[in-house]
Amino acid sequence: MNIYEKIFARLEEINMSQIELSRRTGIATSTISDWRKKQINPQADKLVAICKALDMSLVDLLCDEEDKKNEFSRADYVVGEQFIIDSIMMSSGQMKRRVFSYLERWIRKQEIKLPTGNISVISDAEGKKVVVINDLRFKRSKNVDWNMVENYLKEYIGSCTEILDTNELIYIGRDFPDEYSHSKDTKVLRGPNEYAKANASVAIRELIQIAANKTFSENKKSKHNSKAKYGWYRYDTRFAVPKYNNDGELTGYNIFKGRMVIRHAQDNKLYLYDILRIKKETSEPHE
């Protein structure tokens, strides 16, 4: 079975539309349709995103032990790369699975960039990850419209994202949009910190992915006995937003840090609760 056939079989199996797959992966619906119409496989750099969206492993998508035929296209490889591909494809089925399993884990640890280019993840001089938000959804005005932020965050409900360092899945529950937008921590934010938190809402998935420095504390409030039955986790996360001069020219980025709060719920899942203590860390010139 070809890769594109496995994708459409999986879509049917989990009752997912092509539109939803497009939303989760950033791949155009026309491109997804072309896979079936033209009987072509997706580009290699899209496979991990597709697997995550379809909740299947890269091994399952690429390997078929019953099919001994090599379905890999050779058109995009130079001579040196072709030797590597040939070596893998001539190996045993077990070896192929080991190679693809390793490849999947390796790719997930690498720098992440969204197809739109509006959000990306980079490493600073110390090797720490920073989410760069290039387009600001919420512009500077007298006050942030937090109801608008809350409505935007509702798009995340039901989704889950993996923390790359720990491989933990973090879910977005129905309580998150309201807590993020109207918590006590949000209400005391002013100036750049307030606008930073508002605009961080467009990069929730990426902020989860780079979360680091995990700590744990027990739940001590009875009102959270169900939602945080097994306690609270906190992680550091960082993001950068652009700054402009009076002529509208990009002059650099302000880097902010925040403390991501995760609740360990009664259903044994981890849910994002809020991002607290957002504060400007430093400012970097545009290069």
Side-chain angles (χ1 to χ4, degrees), residues 16-259:
M16 181 185 293
S17 67
Q18 294 181 35
I19 294 175
E20 178 62 16
L21 179 61
S22 173
R23 187 187 71 81
R24 294 190 182 193
T25 61
I27 302 171
T29 53
S30 58
T31 300
I32 296 173
S33 297
D34 281 346
W35 298 339
R36 173 177 279 171
K37 291 178 182 177
K38 299 180 181 180
Q39 298 184 348
I40 56 175
N41 291 325
Q43 293 179 333
D45 62 350
K46 306 296 184 186
L47 296 182
V48 170
I50 292 170
C51 287
K52 291 180 72 173
L54 298 179
D55 193 23
M56 63 189 303
S57 72
L58 191 62
V59 173
D60 290 335
L61 183 62
L62 296 181
C63 294
D64 189 345
E65 291 185 352
E66 296 179 359
D67 186 359
K68 302 299 182 180
K69 185 177 179 180
N70 179 3
E71 298 289 351
F72 282 76
S73 170
R74 300 169 181 264
D76 296 330
Y77 303 116
V78 298
V79 175
E81 293 171 333
Q82 187 61 59
F83 173 78
I84 296 174
I85 297 299
D86 287 341
S87 298
I88 294 174
M89 299 316 299
M90 288 188 295
S91 63
S92 66
Q94 182 180 8
M95 179 59 70
K96 289 177 188 175
R97 285 183 171 272
R98 290 177 61 186
V99 170
F100 288 132
S101 180
Y102 169 79
L103 177 62
E104 181 176 25
R105 293 195 301 270
W106 180 82
I107 290 175
R108 289 190 178 191
K109 296 292 184 182
Q110 304 310 300
E111 180 175 307
I112 309 152
K113 291 186 177 180
L114 293 188
T116 60
N118 293 333
I119 303 173
S120 60
V121 176
I122 64 172
S123 297
D124 63 15
E126 298 178 354
K128 297 179 181 179
K129 299 291 187 183
V130 182
V131 177
V132 179
I133 304 170
N134 288 307
D135 288 342
L136 303 183
R137 174 177 286 263
F138 302 98
K139 307 296 184 181
R140 290 294 297 266
S141 60
K142 188 174 181 180
N143 296 108
V144 171
D145 186 343
W146 284 104
N147 289 326
M148 185 180 296
V149 176
E150 180 182 2
N151 287 332
Y152 175 79
L153 288 170
K154 289 178 181 178
E155 297 178 12
Y156 290 105
I157 293 175
S159 65
C160 68
T161 303
E162 182 181 45
I163 297 178
L164 296 181
D165 280 351
T166 63
N167 300 121
E168 295 168 306
L169 288 178
I170 307 300
Y171 292 82
I172 305 296
R174 295 188 177 278
D175 60 332
F176 172 67
D178 177 69
E179 188 66 28
Y180 185 96
S181 305
H182 305 292
S183 66
K184 292 181 180 179
D185 181 83
T186 299
K187 290 178 180 178
V188 299
L189 291 175
R190 295 292 183 270
N193 293 338
E194 182 181 17
Y195 285 95
K197 183 169 186 177
N199 282 291
S201 64
V202 306
I204 295 299
R205 293 186 182 91
E206 292 73 25
L207 291 171
I208 292 173
Q209 287 174 329
I210 70 163
N213 302 324
K214 175 182 177 181
T215 62
F216 171 78
S217 61
E218 294 182 356
N219 177 51
K220 297 180 180 180
K221 294 184 178 180
S222 58
K223 68 176 183 178
H224 295 308
N225 281 348
S226 175
K227 290 187 175 182
K229 180 177 181 179
Y230 301 112
W232 299 87
Y233 294 95
R234 287 171 172 78
Y235 303 78
D236 292 332
T237 194
R238 303 166 73 226
F239 62 96
V241 295
K243 57 180 181 178
Y244 302 93
N245 61 21
N246 293 333
D247 296 325
E249 297 174 336
L250 178 64
T251 59
Y253 290 86
N254 289 323
I255 300 177
F256 294 83
K257 61 182 178 180
R259 195 69 170 152

